[in-house]
Amino acid sequence: MNTTGPRYSRITGTGSHLPPRRLTNDDMVSMLVARGVETSDAWIVERTGIRARHFAADGVACSDLALAASRAALQAAGRHAEDVDLIIVATSTPDMVFPSTAAILQHKLGIAGPSGCPAFDLQAVCSGFVYALAVADAMIRAGGASCALIVGAEIFSRILDFDDRTTCVLFGDGAGAVVLEASGEPGILASDLHADGRHVGILCVPGTVAGGRVSGDPLLKMDGPAVFKLAVGVLDSAARAVLAKAGRTEADLDWLIPHQANIRIMQSTAKKLKLAPEKLIVTVDEHGNTSAASVPLALDVAVRSGRVQRGDTVMLEGVGGGFTWGAVLLDF
């Protein structure tokens, strides 16, 4: 890039990975009925749009999913692991309490060492990737990095309560990644991030490790109606805020890639922005809610299918526990 002019950041490669084990709604119904939990394919599809999800096998770590997605993104960018000078992993399901999954990923990529690049996790639940992308953009603009690897990776199947049909059918495992590089041309145009800690209880895993044991409840809890009501409103406000910051309007959008949690929330957001249905990227039907992984997963699918192309204006949005939300507007 031209080092004498303004410094920006652009996505140069995308990648994703889903565990091989795919469970359709019928598979989930069979599993849950055996536990005495009633549900149906129609009930799941009508309320969420989800038709399948992927679960990681025993012994597979979050960093393993991140590694596969990272390698795909690096290949797409024409970069090697040695080129990376910043790693951020957005996750709520890390390999261990510490060290970070990002540090473990760095080691698995073969680039750890005495002069290794900074690597850290970012925890904003389903908004995590959007948060991480904004942080990496700021670091690149400030000269703190030139080639960043930004990953969203989750294994939510291990924190689900399979006796709660309102939550266990919603989530899946997976990872998505992008390579974000310094550029003389604008790529990331603007970001808008928020959190409201008053709503910590509506989506949470209220457990921790204390004295060598789990203290509290280590399984996911969600107040679905409350999350739905908040999500629709904050996604609309974040979308409008990030457009205003970038000096753009809804008419400038080629694609909207929101957090893949619920088709009704996604469609409502698109409708409020007056976007044609075909401008909404939807992958939730095939992988369910993969939390921080869902946005980069959907982006990679859209890029590799030929829908998102160079020069397109894309909005990424996330919303999740915390309560957190945010949006990033970019020229791809």
Side-chain angles (χ1 to χ4, degrees), residues 122-159:
L122 190 152
Q123 223 290 37
V125 199
C126 305
S127 305
F129 180 79
V130 171
Y131 265 58
L133 194 60
V135 170
D137 172 57
M139 292 182 69
I140 287 175
R141 286 174 181 257
S146 293
C147 181
L149 181 61
I150 315 302
V151 188
E154 302 282 15
I155 301 184
F156 260 54
S157 61
R158 294 176 188 162
I159 57 172

mmCIF file of all heavy atoms in Angstrom, residues 122-159:
data_model
loop_
_atom_site.group_PDB
_atom_site.id
_atom_site.type_symbol
_atom_site.label_atom_id
_atom_site.label_comp_id
_atom_site.label_asym_id
_atom_site.label_seq_id
_atom_site.Cartn_x
_atom_site.Cartn_y
_atom_site.Cartn_z
ATOM 1 N N LEU A 122 -11.938 -12.101 21.999
ATOM 2 C CA LEU A 122 -12.894 -11.029 22.243
ATOM 3 C C LEU A 122 -14.245 -11.673 22.532
ATOM 4 O O LEU A 122 -14.702 -12.516 21.765
ATOM 5 C CB LEU A 122 -12.971 -10.106 21.029
ATOM 6 C CG LEU A 122 -13.740 -8.801 21.203
ATOM 7 C CD1 LEU A 122 -13.199 -7.723 20.258
ATOM 8 C CD2 LEU A 122 -15.228 -8.995 20.942
ATOM 9 N N GLN A 123 -14.857 -11.272 23.641
ATOM 10 C CA GLN A 123 -16.104 -11.889 24.087
ATOM 11 C C GLN A 123 -17.239 -10.878 24.014
ATOM 12 O O GLN A 123 -17.365 -10.003 24.851
ATOM 13 C CB GLN A 123 -15.934 -12.384 25.532
ATOM 14 C CG GLN A 123 -16.503 -13.761 25.815
ATOM 15 C CD GLN A 123 -18.020 -13.822 25.798
ATOM 16 O OE1 GLN A 123 -18.677 -13.178 25.005
ATOM 17 N NE2 GLN A 123 -18.580 -14.620 26.667
ATOM 18 N N ALA A 124 -18.046 -10.984 22.969
ATOM 19 C CA ALA A 124 -19.266 -10.181 22.866
ATOM 20 C C ALA A 124 -20.400 -11.055 22.352
ATOM 21 O O ALA A 124 -21.339 -10.586 21.737
ATOM 22 C CB ALA A 124 -19.063 -8.978 21.953
ATOM 23 N N VAL A 125 -20.274 -12.357 22.600
ATOM 24 C CA VAL A 125 -21.251 -13.373 22.222
ATOM 25 C C VAL A 125 -21.539 -13.260 20.713
ATOM 26 O O VAL A 125 -20.611 -13.222 19.925
ATOM 27 C CB VAL A 125 -22.518 -13.311 23.092
ATOM 28 C CG1 VAL A 125 -23.296 -14.622 23.027
ATOM 29 C CG2 VAL A 125 -22.156 -13.039 24.558
ATOM 30 N N CYS A 126 -22.787 -13.175 20.318
ATOM 31 C CA CYS A 126 -23.129 -13.224 18.894
ATOM 32 C C CYS A 126 -22.697 -11.970 18.132
ATOM 33 O O CYS A 126 -22.653 -11.983 16.895
ATOM 34 C CB CYS A 126 -24.619 -13.447 18.715
ATOM 35 S SG CYS A 126 -25.245 -14.920 19.564
ATOM 36 N N SER A 127 -22.378 -10.896 18.839
ATOM 37 C CA SER A 127 -21.851 -9.685 18.205
ATOM 38 C C SER A 127 -20.333 -9.724 18.089
ATOM 39 O O SER A 127 -19.725 -8.777 17.592
ATOM 40 C CB SER A 127 -22.241 -8.442 19.017
ATOM 41 O OG SER A 127 -23.621 -8.354 19.214
ATOM 42 N N GLY A 128 -19.722 -10.809 18.557
ATOM 43 C CA GLY A 128 -18.275 -10.853 18.702
ATOM 44 C C GLY A 128 -17.493 -10.572 17.444
ATOM 45 O O GLY A 128 -16.499 -9.835 17.464
ATOM 46 N N PHE A 129 -17.918 -11.138 16.311
ATOM 47 C CA PHE A 129 -17.150 -10.923 15.082
ATOM 48 C C PHE A 129 -17.215 -9.469 14.635
ATOM 49 O O PHE A 129 -16.209 -8.903 14.203
ATOM 50 C CB PHE A 129 -17.648 -11.840 13.963
ATOM 51 C CG PHE A 129 -16.872 -11.650 12.684
ATOM 52 C CD1 PHE A 129 -15.619 -12.233 12.519
ATOM 53 C CD2 PHE A 129 -17.383 -10.873 11.649
ATOM 54 C CE1 PHE A 129 -14.887 -12.043 11.351
ATOM 55 C CE2 PHE A 129 -16.667 -10.675 10.484
ATOM 56 C CZ PHE A 129 -15.410 -11.267 10.333
ATOM 57 N N VAL A 130 -18.378 -8.853 14.728
ATOM 58 C CA VAL A 130 -18.516 -7.441 14.359
ATOM 59 C C VAL A 130 -17.645 -6.573 15.257
ATOM 60 O O VAL A 130 -16.948 -5.662 14.786
ATOM 61 C CB VAL A 130 -19.991 -7.014 14.420
ATOM 62 C CG1 VAL A 130 -20.130 -5.506 14.266
ATOM 63 C CG2 VAL A 130 -20.800 -7.730 13.345
ATOM 64 N N TYR A 131 -17.647 -6.855 16.547
ATOM 65 C CA TYR A 131 -16.772 -6.140 17.484
ATOM 66 C C TYR A 131 -15.296 -6.337 17.090
ATOM 67 O O TYR A 131 -14.509 -5.377 17.056
ATOM 68 C CB TYR A 131 -16.974 -6.674 18.901
ATOM 69 C CG TYR A 131 -17.956 -5.929 19.774
ATOM 70 C CD1 TYR A 131 -19.290 -5.767 19.396
ATOM 71 C CD2 TYR A 131 -17.569 -5.415 21.003
ATOM 72 C CE1 TYR A 131 -20.199 -5.113 20.216
ATOM 73 C CE2 TYR A 131 -18.471 -4.747 21.831
ATOM 74 C CZ TYR A 131 -19.776 -4.601 21.432
ATOM 75 O OH TYR A 131 -20.661 -3.949 22.258
ATOM 76 N N ALA A 132 -14.915 -7.588 16.816
ATOM 77 C CA ALA A 132 -13.516 -7.898 16.507
ATOM 78 C C ALA A 132 -13.060 -7.219 15.226
ATOM 79 O O ALA A 132 -11.923 -6.737 15.128
ATOM 80 C CB ALA A 132 -13.336 -9.406 16.397
ATOM 81 N N LEU A 133 -13.940 -7.174 14.239
ATOM 82 C CA LEU A 133 -13.595 -6.523 12.977
ATOM 83 C C LEU A 133 -13.355 -5.029 13.188
ATOM 84 O O LEU A 133 -12.414 -4.447 12.624
ATOM 85 C CB LEU A 133 -14.719 -6.752 11.969
ATOM 86 C CG LEU A 133 -14.426 -6.450 10.501
ATOM 87 C CD1 LEU A 133 -13.277 -7.305 9.982
ATOM 88 C CD2 LEU A 133 -15.679 -6.673 9.656
ATOM 89 N N ALA A 134 -14.185 -4.402 14.019
ATOM 90 C CA ALA A 134 -14.018 -2.974 14.310
ATOM 91 C C ALA A 134 -12.714 -2.721 15.064
ATOM 92 O O ALA A 134 -12.011 -1.737 14.797
ATOM 93 C CB ALA A 134 -15.207 -2.460 15.121
ATOM 94 N N VAL A 135 -12.369 -3.605 16.012
ATOM 95 C CA VAL A 135 -11.122 -3.458 16.761
ATOM 96 C C VAL A 135 -9.914 -3.615 15.835
ATOM 97 O O VAL A 135 -8.953 -2.826 15.890
ATOM 98 C CB VAL A 135 -11.056 -4.492 17.908
ATOM 99 C CG1 VAL A 135 -9.663 -4.524 18.535
ATOM 100 C CG2 VAL A 135 -12.095 -4.168 18.974
ATOM 101 N N ALA A 136 -9.945 -4.626 14.976
ATOM 102 C CA ALA A 136 -8.835 -4.851 14.056
ATOM 103 C C ALA A 136 -8.673 -3.688 13.080
ATOM 104 O O ALA A 136 -7.541 -3.272 12.772
ATOM 105 C CB ALA A 136 -9.049 -6.150 13.288
ATOM 106 N N ASP A 137 -9.788 -3.155 12.607
ATOM 107 C CA ASP A 137 -9.744 -2.000 11.713
ATOM 108 C C ASP A 137 -9.055 -0.815 12.399
ATOM 109 O O ASP A 137 -8.199 -0.146 11.807
ATOM 110 C CB ASP A 137 -11.165 -1.614 11.290
ATOM 111 C CG ASP A 137 -11.226 -0.312 10.526
ATOM 112 O OD1 ASP A 137 -10.556 -0.188 9.476
ATOM 113 O OD2 ASP A 137 -11.950 0.608 10.979
ATOM 114 N N ALA A 138 -9.408 -0.568 13.654
ATOM 115 C CA ALA A 138 -8.795 0.536 14.395
ATOM 116 C C ALA A 138 -7.294 0.313 14.584
ATOM 117 O O ALA A 138 -6.497 1.257 14.464
ATOM 118 C CB ALA A 138 -9.476 0.695 15.751
ATOM 119 N N MET A 139 -6.895 -0.927 14.866
ATOM 120 C CA MET A 139 -5.480 -1.223 15.062
ATOM 121 C C MET A 139 -4.692 -1.065 13.766
ATOM 122 O O MET A 139 -3.563 -0.548 13.763
ATOM 123 C CB MET A 139 -5.314 -2.628 15.631
ATOM 124 C CG MET A 139 -5.820 -2.772 17.051
ATOM 125 S SD MET A 139 -5.583 -4.422 17.769
ATOM 126 C CE MET A 139 -3.801 -4.474 17.931
ATOM 127 N N ILE A 140 -5.290 -1.481 12.659
ATOM 128 C CA ILE A 140 -4.608 -1.324 11.372
ATOM 129 C C ILE A 140 -4.498 0.148 10.997
ATOM 130 O O ILE A 140 -3.439 0.620 10.553
ATOM 131 C CB ILE A 140 -5.341 -2.124 10.279
ATOM 132 C CG1 ILE A 140 -5.100 -3.627 10.482
ATOM 133 C CG2 ILE A 140 -4.881 -1.703 8.882
ATOM 134 C CD1 ILE A 140 -5.873 -4.522 9.524
ATOM 135 N N ARG A 141 -5.567 0.898 11.168
ATOM 136 C CA ARG A 141 -5.529 2.334 10.858
ATOM 137 C C ARG A 141 -4.484 3.053 11.704
ATOM 138 O O ARG A 141 -3.854 4.014 11.245
ATOM 139 C CB ARG A 141 -6.904 2.962 11.094
ATOM 140 C CG ARG A 141 -7.949 2.610 10.043
ATOM 141 C CD ARG A 141 -9.311 3.171 10.451
ATOM 142 N NE ARG A 141 -10.357 2.843 9.512
ATOM 143 C CZ ARG A 141 -10.873 3.674 8.607
ATOM 144 N NH1 ARG A 141 -10.403 4.912 8.504
ATOM 145 N NH2 ARG A 141 -11.838 3.295 7.801
ATOM 146 N N ALA A 142 -4.282 2.589 12.944
ATOM 147 C CA ALA A 142 -3.320 3.220 13.844
ATOM 148 C C ALA A 142 -1.889 2.741 13.606
ATOM 149 O O ALA A 142 -0.959 3.238 14.253
ATOM 150 C CB ALA A 142 -3.710 2.948 15.291
ATOM 151 N N GLY A 143 -1.714 1.791 12.709
ATOM 152 C CA GLY A 143 -0.378 1.293 12.404
ATOM 153 C C GLY A 143 0.066 0.144 13.287
ATOM 154 O O GLY A 143 1.235 -0.264 13.230
ATOM 155 N N GLY A 144 -0.851 -0.401 14.086
ATOM 156 C CA GLY A 144 -0.490 -1.489 14.994
ATOM 157 C C GLY A 144 -0.467 -2.853 14.351
ATOM 158 O O GLY A 144 -0.019 -3.827 14.961
ATOM 159 N N ALA A 145 -0.977 -2.954 13.129
ATOM 160 C CA ALA A 145 -0.980 -4.220 12.401
ATOM 161 C C ALA A 145 -1.152 -3.918 10.923
ATOM 162 O O ALA A 145 -1.613 -2.831 10.542
ATOM 163 C CB ALA A 145 -2.101 -5.131 12.887
ATOM 164 N N SER A 146 -0.778 -4.889 10.096
ATOM 165 C CA SER A 146 -0.941 -4.739 8.647
ATOM 166 C C SER A 146 -1.690 -5.893 8.017
ATOM 167 O O SER A 146 -2.278 -5.746 6.949
ATOM 168 C CB SER A 146 0.437 -4.600 7.971
ATOM 169 O OG SER A 146 1.060 -3.391 8.338
ATOM 170 N N CYS A 147 -1.653 -7.052 8.673
ATOM 171 C CA CYS A 147 -2.325 -8.244 8.135
ATOM 172 C C CYS A 147 -2.945 -9.000 9.301
ATOM 173 O O CYS A 147 -2.260 -9.749 10.004
ATOM 174 C CB CYS A 147 -1.339 -9.122 7.368
ATOM 175 S SG CYS A 147 -2.083 -10.602 6.629
ATOM 176 N N ALA A 148 -4.229 -8.782 9.508
ATOM 177 C CA ALA A 148 -4.914 -9.352 10.672
ATOM 178 C C ALA A 148 -5.771 -10.539 10.274
ATOM 179 O O ALA A 148 -6.386 -10.559 9.198
ATOM 180 C CB ALA A 148 -5.788 -8.289 11.338
ATOM 181 N N LEU A 149 -5.813 -11.519 11.154
ATOM 182 C CA LEU A 149 -6.682 -12.682 11.002
ATOM 183 C C LEU A 149 -7.791 -12.556 12.044
ATOM 184 O O LEU A 149 -7.517 -12.582 13.249
ATOM 185 C CB LEU A 149 -5.884 -13.965 11.213
ATOM 186 C CG LEU A 149 -6.631 -15.296 11.075
ATOM 187 C CD1 LEU A 149 -7.212 -15.457 9.678
ATOM 188 C CD2 LEU A 149 -5.700 -16.458 11.416
ATOM 189 N N ILE A 150 -9.026 -12.397 11.566
ATOM 190 C CA ILE A 150 -10.170 -12.192 12.455
ATOM 191 C C ILE A 150 -11.077 -13.399 12.319
ATOM 192 O O ILE A 150 -11.542 -13.727 11.225
ATOM 193 C CB ILE A 150 -10.956 -10.913 12.088
ATOM 194 C CG1 ILE A 150 -10.007 -9.743 11.822
ATOM 195 C CG2 ILE A 150 -11.962 -10.585 13.187
ATOM 196 C CD1 ILE A 150 -9.100 -9.414 12.964
ATOM 197 N N VAL A 151 -11.344 -14.060 13.447
ATOM 198 C CA VAL A 151 -12.075 -15.330 13.433
ATOM 199 C C VAL A 151 -13.253 -15.284 14.398
ATOM 200 O O VAL A 151 -13.146 -14.734 15.493
ATOM 201 C CB VAL A 151 -11.149 -16.493 13.846
ATOM 202 C CG1 VAL A 151 -11.850 -17.834 13.652
ATOM 203 C CG2 VAL A 151 -9.830 -16.458 13.081
ATOM 204 N N GLY A 152 -14.360 -15.872 13.969
ATOM 205 C CA GLY A 152 -15.470 -16.161 14.868
ATOM 206 C C GLY A 152 -15.608 -17.666 14.919
ATOM 207 O O GLY A 152 -15.747 -18.307 13.869
ATOM 208 N N ALA A 153 -15.526 -18.257 16.104
ATOM 209 C CA ALA A 153 -15.572 -19.714 16.222
ATOM 210 C C ALA A 153 -16.339 -20.112 17.471
ATOM 211 O O ALA A 153 -16.138 -19.522 18.538
ATOM 212 C CB ALA A 153 -14.157 -20.295 16.262
ATOM 213 N N GLU A 154 -17.206 -21.111 17.341
ATOM 214 C CA GLU A 154 -18.044 -21.508 18.473
ATOM 215 C C GLU A 154 -18.342 -23.006 18.458
ATOM 216 O O GLU A 154 -18.493 -23.612 17.382
ATOM 217 C CB GLU A 154 -19.397 -20.782 18.433
ATOM 218 C CG GLU A 154 -19.333 -19.264 18.438
ATOM 219 C CD GLU A 154 -19.058 -18.654 19.809
ATOM 220 O OE1 GLU A 154 -18.630 -19.396 20.718
ATOM 221 O OE2 GLU A 154 -19.291 -17.446 19.963
ATOM 222 N N ILE A 155 -18.456 -23.585 19.664
ATOM 223 C CA ILE A 155 -18.998 -24.932 19.847
ATOM 224 C C ILE A 155 -20.111 -24.817 20.884
ATOM 225 O O ILE A 155 -19.956 -25.158 22.054
ATOM 226 C CB ILE A 155 -17.916 -25.942 20.274
ATOM 227 C CG1 ILE A 155 -16.805 -26.001 19.229
ATOM 228 C CG2 ILE A 155 -18.532 -27.327 20.464
ATOM 229 C CD1 ILE A 155 -15.737 -27.044 19.512
ATOM 230 N N PHE A 156 -21.257 -24.309 20.454
ATOM 231 C CA PHE A 156 -22.386 -24.091 21.351
ATOM 232 C C PHE A 156 -23.073 -25.388 21.744
ATOM 233 O O PHE A 156 -23.814 -25.423 22.738
ATOM 234 C CB PHE A 156 -23.398 -23.125 20.716
ATOM 235 C CG PHE A 156 -23.286 -21.719 21.236
ATOM 236 C CD1 PHE A 156 -22.071 -21.051 21.213
ATOM 237 C CD2 PHE A 156 -24.391 -21.059 21.744
ATOM 238 C CE1 PHE A 156 -21.961 -19.757 21.694
ATOM 239 C CE2 PHE A 156 -24.294 -19.763 22.228
ATOM 240 C CZ PHE A 156 -23.075 -19.116 22.205
ATOM 241 N N SER A 157 -22.856 -26.452 20.974
ATOM 242 C CA SER A 157 -23.536 -27.714 21.289
ATOM 243 C C SER A 157 -23.189 -28.215 22.682
ATOM 244 O O SER A 157 -23.945 -28.992 23.276
ATOM 245 C CB SER A 157 -23.181 -28.779 20.247
ATOM 246 O OG SER A 157 -21.787 -29.046 20.227
ATOM 247 N N ARG A 158 -22.054 -27.753 23.233
ATOM 248 C CA ARG A 158 -21.618 -28.235 24.544
ATOM 249 C C ARG A 158 -22.168 -27.427 25.714
ATOM 250 O O ARG A 158 -21.919 -27.753 26.869
ATOM 251 C CB ARG A 158 -20.088 -28.268 24.582
ATOM 252 C CG ARG A 158 -19.533 -29.302 23.611
ATOM 253 C CD ARG A 158 -18.042 -29.312 23.522
ATOM 254 N NE ARG A 158 -17.621 -30.207 22.432
ATOM 255 C CZ ARG A 158 -16.430 -30.192 21.872
ATOM 256 N NH1 ARG A 158 -15.511 -29.332 22.285
ATOM 257 N NH2 ARG A 158 -16.144 -31.029 20.887
ATOM 258 N N ILE A 159 -22.910 -26.359 25.403
ATOM 259 C CA ILE A 159 -23.506 -25.571 26.485
ATOM 260 C C ILE A 159 -25.026 -25.512 26.345
ATOM 261 O O ILE A 159 -25.680 -24.641 26.923
ATOM 262 C CB ILE A 159 -22.919 -24.141 26.554
ATOM 263 C CG1 ILE A 159 -23.101 -23.409 25.232
ATOM 264 C CG2 ILE A 159 -21.449 -24.187 26.950
ATOM 265 C CD1 ILE A 159 -22.725 -21.923 25.301
#
